[in-house]
Amino acid sequence: MLLCEANNILKVSQDETSQRGVCGRLICTNFKITFLCEEGAEENVPEFKNKIVGENDITLQCVDQLYAVYDDKKKVLISGAPLKKYPERLIIYCKDFRVFHFCLRYAKEDEVNRIVNGIIHHTLSPKRLKLIFLFSYTEAVPCYKATSVKDLTLLFENHEDWRKEVDRTKGSLCYRVSSINQMYKVSDRLPPYFVVPVSLSEESVYKFQGRGIPIWCWSSPHSAALFKMASLPKELDESSIQEQRAFLDSVEKTLHRPPLEEVRIEDLAVTLPSLSEILVAYTRFKQLFLIDNSTEFWDTDSNWFSLLHTSNWLEIVRQCLKKSIEVIEYLESQRINVVLKEDTASDFCCVISSLVQIMMDPHYRTRYGFQSLIQKEWVMGGHSFLDRCNHLRSNEGEHQSPIFLLFLDCVWQLVHQYPLAFEFSETYLTVLSDSINIPIFSTFFFNSPHQKESHKWVEDSSGRQSSSLSFYSVWDWSVQFEFKALTFLSNPLYVEKSKQEKSRKGVRSKHHRQLSLPLTQPKSSNKRGFFKEEPGPFIKSLLGKRISKLISASDEVPSNYQVFYENWHRKPVDYHGLILPHIEGPDICIWAQRHLRWIPEAQVLGGGNVAATQKVLELLDEIQCLKNELNERPILPHRASKENDLDSRRKKSVRRSSLFPFAHFHMNCIRPSISTTTWRSWEAGDELVNRDDEEIELGTL
């Protein structure tokens, strides 16, 4: 739906003078802000093009900040503040780090008034959930039917998907799928189905609306399991504390049975930063990449690394990876159960549990496994995407925090360090981060499965629920990309584990816990266990500071993290087994493809990871071509053929930058990163720099 528009708008380029641009029309709909150029479309068809959001499109949810320019001075625009005079320029900062400059001085005043006020209102003003474009789009499109590709991703919306996951991890003997919350009778926060220990009673789940119960996440090959748990309500009176203590005592019996089963409680609220600290760090971090022009980029070059260090974002990424390795040490080395504890168990519990499973289980390093993991731990796990991403532009913004982006950055660190271990590419992660702000898919636009269920019903004229909406899932990538572009989402260096190697792996006994002892030395049973009046370490850890005056030092399970970490890195890497990232300072890098892709000065022409990957692709293509020729003509000699796809790919590869497939800039807007004399010394031996053309195509948007 068209809301407002303005003609004779100049989209200004981001070069040093910012005087060049393209004239066109700026429009705002209930879906996105779009700039329509008056010039004809480009002849070259982009190799990697999004069918929903184009080069000059900004979804309303993707707008981060708005600025108006008066007499060369920037002023931030906020909702509800009237414009005293018409701005000369409008600057839009996007959440995907694009920066748009629109010159308004050639447009009519009434059109400038409508377009500026319209964009401010529809991007920054608070709104109701039903008014998001997601609902109007879902009502307008035909009934959505899942494709066979999407069916490979488990959505965990039914009992069968959970049962498949429990069976895959060989945990069916100890854990069961509970349907007690099928009609959300227990809690609006929990999914309709979840997995709990077999010995946990249904009454325990009802007791505190699902809080304080261990919800199963994953079982390791050694039968140690990973759980997450929401904290119990904070009570001050003694009777409530005693009631909670008795409840936790019964829960402990389901997990803690020395010497066969030990348990470790990880209180993530104590060991990891708060949501507000993460928001502050990311706000500082993203300012490094929201560059207005080339001059501003070079002006900040001298103190760029100090600003990066001050932001503390990469340190938070490192802390999350370190905490995940600590949890893995308990699961893998000591072979004990681990319970991740948090207030709602839907923020850092999602981050750490997902990272642990990715590092330990190669299934989650495939594309469909990774998508299933996000569905299980994040979407059905009740992560508040709507609040954390602030899609409704709440005035308070107290619940906003880029937790999911933090998780994706951690995953990128793993992909960057171990590219051979992942079936998907870094381009896949970048596109996934962009999809958070596309209001066509329901995946990242609800706080819980209950909220999605309660808002999917369509009311008729009488106010009755007439039908339900079938929302699109982000995992059907064909909605955004053509089939040829989907190849960029896959990692060409990944080799799937052969069936023979899988069959060699010994099958774990279902009765592993009952028939054998752990490899670590058995721990002595607590003298102050759950049969005594004084609480043991399990209850102490869960009740925390509220009874700290009543207890002595807890008998915690010791951590051998450092020894485990160092010993693992001395061994050869098994890309289909456990992987642990390097977490020393220099090893935690900037996700360049996502954060720097729109800055031409930050690109390496013909270099970077894309160059190495492209060479591998060329070799694979050449080998495949030779195989095809041998199969077709095994005796006839090889003849020179016309230019094929391989030759075309080679020509394009020398014109790409390190940030392909997103970058598209001209050579004259890039300063050399090395001295001119050194650059010229390479010319004699390099045929590529002797080209006649002046313009270099670095990729497509």
Side-chain angles (χ1 to χ4, degrees):
M1 184 197 323
L2 180 63
L3 302 175
C4 51
E5 62 178 325
N7 297 299
N8 298 324
I9 302 296
L10 189 67
K11 180 191 173 188
V12 183
S13 61
Q14 291 176 255
D15 59 11
E16 295 191 13
T17 58
S18 294
Q19 296 298 322
R20 298 181 299 147
V22 180
C23 188
R25 184 161 59 111
L26 185 64
I27 65 175
C28 179
T29 69
N30 62 335
F31 171 45
K32 60 186 178 181
I33 301 168
T34 302
F35 179 76
L36 302 177
C37 304
E38 292 181 354
E39 300 177 0
E42 296 183 3
E43 296 181 0
N44 296 329
V45 179
E47 292 182 73
F48 189 71
K49 180 181 179 181
N50 194 309
K51 297 189 291 185
I52 298 175
V53 182
E55 175 184 353
N56 295 320
D57 296 336
I58 314 167
T59 64
L60 300 184
Q61 281 70 31
C62 190
V63 174
D64 191 13
Q65 290 178 306
L66 297 175
Y67 288 90
V69 178
Y70 304 94
D71 301 326
D72 295 331
K73 294 182 180 180
K74 282 199 321 183
K75 180 182 178 181
V76 64
L77 298 175
I78 59 177
S79 176
L83 294 175
K84 296 181 179 179
K85 61 178 182 178
Y86 301 130
E88 301 171 3
R89 287 192 185 187
L90 176 67
I91 304 177
I92 302 178
Y93 285 1
C94 302
K95 294 179 181 179
D96 60 1
F97 302 103
R98 290 181 296 169
V99 178
F100 289 87
H101 291 250
F102 296 108
C103 180
L104 310 175
R105 65 179 61 178
Y106 306 110
K108 297 179 181 180
E109 288 188 355
D110 58 335
E111 291 184 352
V112 172
N113 181 43
R114 284 197 299 269
I115 193 67
V116 175
N117 284 292
I119 290 177
I120 293 174
H121 175 73
H122 293 290
T123 59
L124 302 182
S125 299
K127 55 178 64 68
R128 292 187 294 110
L129 178 57
K130 281 281 191 177
L131 296 182
I132 291 182
F133 182 73
L134 169 69
F135 292 91
S136 57
Y137 179 81
T138 307
E139 290 184 36
V141 297
C143 183
Y144 178 67
K145 294 182 179 179
T147 63
S148 58
V149 175
K150 173 178 167 289
D151 285 339
L152 296 176
T153 300
L154 299 180
L155 300 182
F156 293 95
E157 295 176 346
N158 54 58
H159 188 281
E160 181 65 19
D161 287 353
W162 287 100
R163 187 191 61 79
K164 288 180 180 178
E165 183 66 6
V166 173
D167 291 343
R168 188 187 69 82
T169 58
K170 307 294 191 299
S172 57
L173 184 69
C174 303
Y175 309 103
R176 60 181 175 86
V177 181
S178 174
S179 58
I180 190 174
N181 199 42
Q182 190 170 1
M183 302 301 295
Y184 300 100
K185 298 177 181 178
V186 177
S187 173
D188 296 345
R189 181 185 55 83
L190 293 174
Y193 307 96
F194 53 90
V195 180
V196 294
V198 172
S199 57
L200 187 69
S201 64
E202 299 288 292
E203 292 76 12
S204 300
V205 180
Y206 272 109
K207 184 69 175 179
F208 291 100
Q209 296 182 335
R211 290 180 173 270
I213 63 169
I215 296 179
W216 177 89
C217 297
W218 180 76
S219 294
S220 74
H222 305 299
S223 296
L226 181 66
F227 302 87
K228 59 184 176 182
M229 176 187 295
S231 303
L232 289 173
K234 295 182 179 180
E235 302 291 347
L236 299 177
D237 59 285
E238 181 63 25
S239 61
S240 299
I241 293 178
Q242 292 297 335
E243 182 183 4
Q244 291 184 3
R245 182 181 299 176
F247 171 75
L248 293 176
D249 182 73
S250 63
V251 172
E252 183 182 16
K253 296 177 182 178
T254 67
L255 298 175
H256 192 134
R257 294 193 291 270
L260 296 181
E261 292 184 355
E262 296 286 340
V263 64
R264 165 74 182 183
I265 307 297
E266 284 289 340
D267 192 343
L268 302 181
V270 175
T271 57
L272 293 174
S274 64
L275 298 180
S276 59
E277 289 174 334
I278 294 174
L279 179 60
V280 170
Y282 187 72
T283 301
R284 293 173 181 171
F285 178 72
K286 69 182 180 182
Q287 297 305 318
L288 298 171
F289 314 104
L290 294 171
I291 305 298
D292 284 343
N293 51 57
S294 301
T295 303
E296 181 180 346
F297 176 84
W298 293 111
D299 288 343
T300 60
D301 188 59
S302 59
N303 61 339
W304 196 85
F305 281 105
S306 62
L307 294 174
L308 175 63
H309 175 73
T310 306
S311 71
N312 204 42
W313 176 256
L314 294 183
E315 173 59 22
I316 294 177
V317 171
R318 192 192 70 83
Q319 290 177 21
C320 291
L321 293 172
K322 182 176 182 292
K323 175 56 65 176
S324 301
I325 297 174
E326 291 176 358
V327 172
I328 291 174
E329 192 275 326
Y330 289 114
L331 293 169
E332 179 74 10
S333 180
Q334 302 193 41
R335 302 185 181 183
I336 60 176
N337 296 328
V338 177
V339 179
L340 304 177
K341 174 177 166 285
E342 196 182 17
D343 183 29
T344 60
S346 60
D347 289 311
F348 274 113
C349 278
C350 299
V351 175
I352 303 303
S353 65
S354 299
L355 290 176
V356 168
Q357 294 174 68
I358 291 172
M359 295 181 200
M360 297 189 71
D361 194 339
H363 170 70
Y364 295 124
R365 301 198 285 267
T366 66
R367 193 206 298 184
Y368 298 122
F370 183 72
Q371 293 172 175
S372 300
L373 177 68
I374 294 178
Q375 280 290 140
K376 180 182 68 169
E377 298 296 332
W378 293 82
V379 179
M380 303 309 293
H383 179 68
S384 302
F385 284 104
L386 195 66
D387 292 341
R388 298 293 180 259
C389 301
N390 201 19
H391 287 317
L392 298 183
R393 300 291 182 178
S394 173
N395 284 329
E396 297 82 7
E398 57 183 11
H399 301 296
Q400 181 181 0
S401 190
I403 297 294
F404 188 66
L405 290 177
L406 173 63
F407 163 69
L408 292 182
D409 205 328
C410 293
V411 176
W412 180 86
Q413 303 293 333
L414 294 170
V415 173
H416 176 67
Q417 294 188 25
Y418 301 104
L420 300 180
F422 290 84
E423 186 186 29
F424 50 86
S425 63
E426 67 169 340
T427 302
Y428 169 87
L429 293 175
T430 303
V431 170
L432 181 59
S433 69
D434 293 340
S435 302
I436 298 173
N437 301 306
I438 299 180
I440 284 180
F441 312 104
S442 65
T443 310
F444 306 123
F445 275 83
F446 292 103
N447 285 332
S448 64
H450 174 263
Q451 188 182 48
K452 178 181 178 180
E453 181 71 21
S454 59
H455 284 81
K456 75 175 185 178
W457 296 99
V458 179
E459 297 180 353
D460 55 21
S461 56
S462 61
R464 297 179 179 178
Q465 295 179 347
S466 58
S467 60
S468 63
L469 299 175
S470 297
F471 295 107
Y472 277 76
S473 172
V474 72
W475 310 127
D476 189 356
W477 295 105
S478 62
V479 177
Q480 295 191 61
F481 302 101
E482 299 291 349
F483 178 78
K484 186 176 181 180
L486 291 177
T487 57
F488 290 97
L489 306 184
S490 300
N491 177 16
L493 305 180
Y494 176 79
V495 178
E496 186 179 3
K497 195 170 186 179
S498 64
K499 294 182 179 179
Q500 292 181 351
E501 290 177 332
K502 293 179 181 179
S503 62
R504 293 194 199 108
K505 188 175 181 180
V507 180
R508 180 180 68 190
S509 171
K510 293 184 178 180
H511 300 279
H512 177 81
R513 287 190 180 275
Q514 287 75 18
L515 301 180
S516 63
L517 294 175
L519 294 180
T520 56
Q521 185 177 357
K523 285 93 180 167
S524 60
S525 180
N526 286 315
K527 297 180 180 179
R528 299 179 300 274
F530 47 80
F531 294 108
K532 305 296 181 181
E533 294 182 359
E534 188 172 354
F538 181 89
I539 300 178
K540 291 178 184 179
S541 180
L542 292 180
L543 292 180
K545 297 180 180 179
R546 285 169 289 169
I547 59 169
S548 59
K549 297 180 181 180
L550 306 177
I551 62 178
S552 58
S554 61
D555 303 324
E556 295 184 350
V557 179
S559 173
N560 300 321
Y561 153 76
Q562 193 62 35
V563 175
F564 174 74
Y565 174 80
E566 293 175 355
N567 288 341
W568 186 89
H569 281 287
R570 294 191 184 101
K571 303 175 183 177
V573 179
D574 178 10
Y575 294 107
H576 296 288
L578 172 67
I579 59 172
L580 298 181
H582 294 275
I583 58 172
E584 290 74 18
D587 297 313
I588 305 300
C589 305
I590 293 175
W591 186 356
Q593 189 191 63
R594 178 174 188 266
H595 300 132
L596 297 170
R597 53 184 156 160
W598 314 121
I599 304 177
E601 293 79 9
Q603 300 179 34
V604 181
L605 294 177
N609 292 334
V610 66
T613 303
Q614 198 63 34
K615 290 298 181 182
V616 174
L617 287 174
E618 291 170 8
L619 290 174
L620 293 176
D621 285 345
E622 189 170 357
I623 293 173
Q624 188 60 43
C625 290
L626 292 174
K627 286 183 178 180
N628 294 339
E629 291 184 3
L630 288 175
N631 293 333
E632 295 174 1
R633 297 178 297 174
I635 301 177
L636 296 178
H638 175 70
R639 297 179 182 178
S641 59
K642 297 181 180 180
E643 178 178 283
N644 53 24
D645 293 339
L646 176 60
D647 298 324
S648 177
R649 173 177 283 180
R650 284 174 173 170
K651 287 185 176 182
K652 290 180 180 178
S653 66
V654 300
R655 295 170 172 264
R656 291 171 177 162
S657 79
S658 57
L659 304 181
F660 178 82
F662 297 97
H664 182 77
F665 293 101
H666 295 284
M667 183 66 177
N668 56 12
C669 72
I670 299 180
R671 294 184 181 183
S673 57
I674 57 177
S675 63
T676 309
T677 55
T678 307
W679 182 279
R680 289 176 178 174
S681 66
W682 294 346
E683 292 185 359
D686 196 342
E687 299 178 357
L688 301 180
V689 298
N690 295 326
R691 291 182 170 273
D692 295 329
D693 51 343
E694 295 293 330
E695 183 177 288
I696 301 295
E697 179 186 351
L698 303 183
T700 59
L701 285 172

